[in-house]
DNA sequence: GAGGTCACG
DNA sequence: ACGTACGTGACCTCT
């Protein structure tokens, strides 16, 4: 059916701009109005299914109406630059959709819309007008309806004659009369002073039009009203005229030119990509025709007498991609759905059952000479191992390469990388398998096509990524550090960590008992039972019921965080109990129950070390996170008692770097004082206290040391007086004075901090010792907040990131060393500045000596690296 | 799914 | 004047 949609471009853009936060894409362009507009456009196209579309815009600041009335729209603020600069983006979007847009000097969008609405009406074509402007209601007829934006961006209310009648008791053509009487402050149309919507409606119900009202002035109720109308007759006529949409705009196109036959996702996708409309891109992506991939499948369940032999020549290739599809992200638990290989020209899907029985494939897979291109080599090799398939020689990990090229990039899914690096489309897993409850298992050709496509993508990506790594001098970091680290981590994860389940359960019972007591005490003190875990309910109890002073608020209500509660503790005994409750509750839910959930039948826990997550180069650990097992408080530290060696008569050995970040800072800054502290192996916080407070070592008090320590942390984090004052609970002024004195004492550090920020502003990124990069797009931002954050990041990242480089290097060397020395000891965990091993008791001395050598010698700095080793029967005792 | 809170380095 | 310390992950509640 024929249908014309007319969109009021400026009105919708305006609406979107104020409905959404001021978003920018990574190049700093504002995109919120364009984004909201596009959402609205897509919704309208989908729901109205128009056969013709036009988007009308206002042109320039003056129109023919200004000739009649100089002050027209005179009270309106200038359109903010952040909005007007988005109008060209919106027009780009429209061009990509193949939707016509139009603007004409001296006319407003309303007039263009009015002219076309009339045209549609006369030709019997149904018209829908989309706007946020009530004025356009005057255009409604039997054929013309109007969608008026309501809350947010895409929520709209439909008006036809009936709806206008219901709401105002008026015909559409009387809307101009309404404006004529009551005026419109947003357009600076005066109307009759003292006449608002109520009076105007009452008058129109009786006299129909402005003219009708003016003809019956003596009949109007009230003396005041009579006077006002009498006095402002001309103004009312002018106001009506100004509000009347002009429907005779000269147009140089016809309805035929507005034909819309749907959009081509291939045209739209690049524009969405440039604007970084990720969700919208995903939405259209499923409609993008996929590049044809010729897929061959080996469908036979057995090898003998089947088609596998046709494929064996593949294994003569120098390099193949290997893609393994899993049923879930956690490869320690997930099953393998299938395997796919590609050499770029041929691609093949191998069902798991076939793969397991196929000699030639297994030989290739385990061949240490046959290089594989993979996505997530670690997950791939572990998933295969779990199904009895040994794999070796992962030469190129697409995931790690993408991560090194830009760690801050939002997505490192294969489909994201294909999109970024190949300007291509790979349907992501959610669109192929479905999301959430709709997720389905694919089979046969469909699965084969999807996996083969991914294997192909790996081959296509490798040269592109390899070139990019080289051009940023990331190739050494990639091939000599990150790829080897992946192999080390794979072994650590695969082996897992043994947990004493019985002890964990006993600890859990004990903690639960404690928690029950605390719950009872707290409810008694509050005088009523409530959910202590709910910050909302807790806030009501503390602040409303018990009347404690509100020191800090959050976006949604009262703050009940520990730093606030600690300040409130002296005022009411319930506070201390709550703090303890929180502590114990955390231990039970996260550590006791959390760890029990992750235990396997063999009594082990297999975490996943994420190697492509952090912006600084650190690892992270998930399912469970074994990098945040409690240590600071004794009650929590006992959790470490359950981490035990996996073999009898073995022990846990922990080796940690002492002050690695400050040593890295000494090296990077070449500050004489700081280097001196480490060369003489002093307690660095004491040394800082001596320098900052100007006292002898023997006169450093524990408070002075504590403050000096906080300043040292602050320096590493990219210091601000505010942050330090919060941490130390002192005034900002005092904090600023500390910082000043620190910089006076360590001028080299000050110089380094200034230089690194300058460098970041100039280059747009900072680097670590091993050349790892982090881009800082906000470093030159006009927003104080974003810029400050970027500046602190510029100071922190080289420090945190270089420390990450160093321990990764040590891990690779250590794995090598264990092998060379013929030791059975095993690396289990890495916790940023420490390595945890399990070792046969009789290897402890050899291991300890070796690990100190390796870790201290991982890289050469201007100051020594120092490692402390501890041994115990459990992780708890290895301290 | 977001926000608040808290565990670690 | 502006308002946060840097980097993570997990659990809970509530919409």
């Amino acid at each position: 059916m024929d249908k014309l949609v007319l969109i009021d471009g400026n009105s919708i853009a305006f609406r979107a701009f104020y409905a959404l936060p001021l978003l920018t894409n990574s190049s700093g362009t504002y995109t919120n109005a364009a984004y909201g507009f596009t959402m609205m456009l897509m919704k309208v196209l989908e729901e109205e299914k128009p056969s013709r579309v036009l988007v009308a815009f206002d042109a320039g600041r003056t129109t023919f109406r200004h000739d009649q009335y100089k002050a027209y729209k005179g009270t309106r603020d200038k359109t903010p630059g952040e909005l007007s600069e988005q109008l060209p983006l919106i027009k780009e979007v429209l061009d990509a959709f193949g939707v016509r847009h139009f603007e004409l000097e001296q006319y407003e969008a309303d007039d263009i819309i009015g002219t076309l609405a009339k045209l549609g009406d006369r030709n019997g074509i149904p018209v829908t007008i989309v706007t946020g402007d009530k004025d356009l209601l005057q255009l409604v007829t039997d054929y013309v309806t109007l969608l008026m934006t309501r809350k947010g961006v895409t929520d709209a209310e439909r008006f036809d004659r009936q709806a206008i009648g219901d709401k105002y008791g008026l015909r559409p053509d009387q809307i101009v009369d309404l404006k004529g009487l009551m005026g419109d402050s947003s357009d600076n149309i005066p109307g009759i002073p003292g006449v608002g919507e109520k009076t105007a409606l009452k008058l129109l119900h009786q006299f129909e039009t402005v003219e009708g009202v003016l003809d019956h002035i003596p009949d109007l109720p009230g003396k005041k009203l009579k006077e006002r109308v009498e006095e402002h007759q001309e103004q009312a006529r002018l106001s009506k005229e100004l509000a009347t949409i002009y429907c005779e705009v000269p147009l140089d196109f016809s309805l035929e030119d507005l034909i819309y036959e749907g959009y081509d996702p291939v045209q739209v996708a690049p524009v969405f990509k440039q604007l970084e409309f990720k969700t919208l891109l995903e939405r259209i992506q499923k409609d993008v025709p996929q590049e044809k991939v010729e897929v061959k499948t080996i469908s036979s369940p057995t090898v003998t007498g089947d088609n596998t032999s046709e494929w064996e020549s593949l294994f003569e290739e120098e390099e193949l991609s290997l893609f393994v599809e899993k049923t879930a992200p956690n490869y320690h638990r997930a099953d393998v759905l299938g395997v796919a290989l590609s050499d770029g020209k041929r691609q093949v899907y191998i069902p798991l059952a076939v793969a397991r029985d196929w000699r030639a494939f297994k030989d290739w897979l385990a061949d240490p000479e046959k290089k594989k291109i993979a996505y997530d080599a670690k997950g791939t090799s572990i998933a295969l191992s779990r199904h009895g398939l040994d794999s070796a020689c992962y030469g190129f990990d697409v995931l790690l390469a993408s991560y090194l090229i830009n760690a801050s990039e939002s997505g490192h899914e294969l489909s994201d990388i294909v999109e970024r690096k190949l300007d291509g489309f790979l349907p992501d897993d959610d669109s192929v398998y479905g999301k959430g409850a709709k997720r389905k298992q694919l089979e046969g050709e469909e699965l084969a096509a999807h996996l083969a496509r991914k294997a192909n993508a790996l081959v296509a990506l490798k040269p592109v990524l390899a070139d990019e790594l080289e051009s940023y001098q990331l190739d050494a970091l990639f091939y000599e550090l990150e790829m080897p680290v992946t192999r080390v981590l794979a072994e650590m994860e695969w082996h897992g960590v043994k947990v004493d389940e019985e002890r964990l359960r006993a600890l859990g019972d004990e903690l639960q008992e404690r928690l029950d007591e605390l719950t009872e005490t707290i409810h008694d003190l509050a005088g009523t039972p409530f959910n202590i875990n709910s910050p909302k309910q807790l806030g009501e109890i503390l602040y409303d019921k018990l009347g404690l002073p509100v020191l800090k608020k959050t976006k949604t209500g009262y703050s009940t965080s520990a730093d606030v509660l600690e300040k409130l503790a002296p005022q009411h005994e319930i506070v201390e109990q709550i703090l303890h409750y929180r502590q114990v509750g955390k231990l039970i839910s996260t550590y006791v129950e959390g760890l029990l959930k992750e235990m396997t039948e063999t009594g082990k826990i297999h975490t996943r070390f994420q190697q492509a997550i952090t912006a600084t180069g650190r690892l992270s650990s998930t399912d469970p996170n074994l990098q945040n097992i409690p240590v600071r408080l004794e009650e929590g530290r006992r959790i470490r008692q359950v981490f035990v060696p996996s073999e009898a008569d073995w022990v846990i050995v922990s080796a940690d770097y002492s002050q690695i970040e400050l040593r890295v800072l000494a090296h990077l800054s070449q500050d004489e004082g700081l280097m001196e502290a480490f060369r003489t192996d002093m307690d660095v916080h004491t040394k800082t206290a001596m320098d900052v407070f100007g006292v002898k070592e023997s006169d450093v008090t524990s408070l002075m040391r504590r403050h000096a320590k906080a300043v040292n942390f602050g320096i590493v984090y990219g210091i601000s007086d505010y942050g330090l004052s919060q941490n130390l609970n002192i005034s900002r002024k005092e904090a600023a004075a500390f910082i000043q004195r620190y910089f006076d004492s360590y001028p080299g550090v000050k110089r380094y901090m200034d230089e690194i920020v300058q460098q970041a502003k100039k280059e747009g990124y900072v680097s670590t010792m091993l050349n790892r990069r982090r881009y800082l797009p906000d470093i030159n931002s006009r927003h104080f907040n974003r810029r400050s954050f970027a500046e602190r990041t510029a100071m922190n990242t080289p420090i945190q990131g270089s420390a990450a480089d160093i321990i990764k290097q040590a891990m690779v060397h250590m794995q090598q060393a264990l092998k060379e020395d013929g030791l059975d000891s095993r690396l289990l965990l890495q916790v940023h500045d420490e390595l945890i091993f399990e070792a046969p008791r009789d290897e402890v001395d050899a291991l300890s000596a070796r690990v100190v050598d390796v870790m201290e010698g991982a890289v050469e700095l201007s100051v020594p690296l120092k490692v402390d080793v501890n041994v115990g029967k459990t992780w708890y005792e290895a301290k």
Side-chain angles (χ1 to χ4, degrees), chain A residues 77 177 323 347 355 424 495 567 620 646 673 702 828 832 848:
Chain A
D77 289 337
D177 296 288
F323 187 85
Q347 50 282 146
H495 186 267
K567 294 188 183 126
S620 82
S646 66
S702 64
L828 298 177
H832 310 308
S848 302

Side-chain angles (χ1 to χ4, degrees), chain A residues 42 45 92-99 260-272 281 284-285 287-290 425:
Chain A
M42 290 177 72
L45 292 178
E92 265 183 64
V93 169
L94 292 171
D95 289 337
F97 272 84
V99 166
Y260 170 79
E261 295 176 306
Y263 64 89
D264 177 2
V266 176
Q267 299 292 321
V268 176
V271 178
F272 280 8
L281 190 64
I284 63 164
Q285 206 127 316
D287 303 327
V288 174
Q290 299 306 322
F425 290 110

Side-chain angles (χ1 to χ4, degrees), chain A residues 169-186:
Chain A
L170 298 179
R171 301 185 307 272
D173 62 86
Q174 289 175 294
I175 295 291
V176 292
D177 296 288
L178 183 65
K179 281 281 166 78
L181 294 175
M182 66 180 278
D184 181 341
S185 61
S186 74

Side-chain angles (χ1 to χ4, degrees), chain A residues 725-776:
Chain A
S725 72
Q726 289 298 300
N727 187 286
L728 284 179
N729 238 327
I730 57 176
S731 79
R732 218 168 103 173
K733 233 171 138 186
E734 290 170 299
F738 275 147
I739 294 166
Q740 186 57 46
R741 275 190 279 173
Y742 179 93
F743 281 139
D744 289 344
S745 307
Y746 300 98
V749 174
K750 170 71 175 148
R751 193 180 333 112
Y752 168 76
M753 293 298 178
D754 291 342
E755 278 169 12
I756 196 76
V757 169
Q758 280 318 305
Q759 192 191 322
K761 288 186 190 297
K762 189 157 152 277
E763 309 287 345
Y765 64 88
V766 290
S767 306
T768 67
M769 283 177 58
L770 297 190
N771 240 0
R772 189 187 303 280
R773 259 186 205 200
R774 179 170 184 182
Y775 293 95
L776 300 168

Side-chain angles (χ1 to χ4, degrees), chain A residues 23-85:
Chain A
L23 312 163
T24 58
N25 68 3
S26 52
S27 57
T29 314
Y30 293 103
T31 55
N32 59 328
Y35 183 71
F37 184 96
T38 309
M39 289 208 299
M40 187 62 171
L41 175 71
M42 290 177 72
K43 184 181 149 100
V44 168
L45 292 178
E46 198 173 306
E47 291 181 359
E48 301 293 313
K49 303 199 190 339
S51 54
R52 303 162 203 267
V53 188
L54 178 84
V55 180
F57 289 97
D58 297 335
R61 298 255 310 150
T62 63
T63 68
F64 69 90
R65 288 186 178 84
H66 291 85
D67 297 340
Q68 298 172 311
Y69 181 59
K70 288 244 156 32
Y72 180 63
K73 292 198 173 177
T75 50
R76 201 169 273 193
D77 289 337
K78 199 168 175 294
T79 311
E82 291 86 352
L83 171 55
S84 51
E85 72 184 39

Side-chain angles (χ1 to χ4, degrees), chain A residues 4 81 130 246 258 290 296 303 314 326 329 352 367 372 388 390 423 485 506 574 626 673 686 719 746 755 778:
Chain A
L4 173 62
V130 184
Y246 180 74
L258 303 184
Q290 299 306 322
K296 306 279 170 45
V303 178
L314 259 185
K326 308 179 301 284
L352 179 65
D367 191 334
K372 287 97 186 162
D390 287 335
D423 259 331
V485 163
I574 196 173
L626 292 185
T686 302
I719 197 146
Y746 300 98
E755 278 169 12
D778 286 339

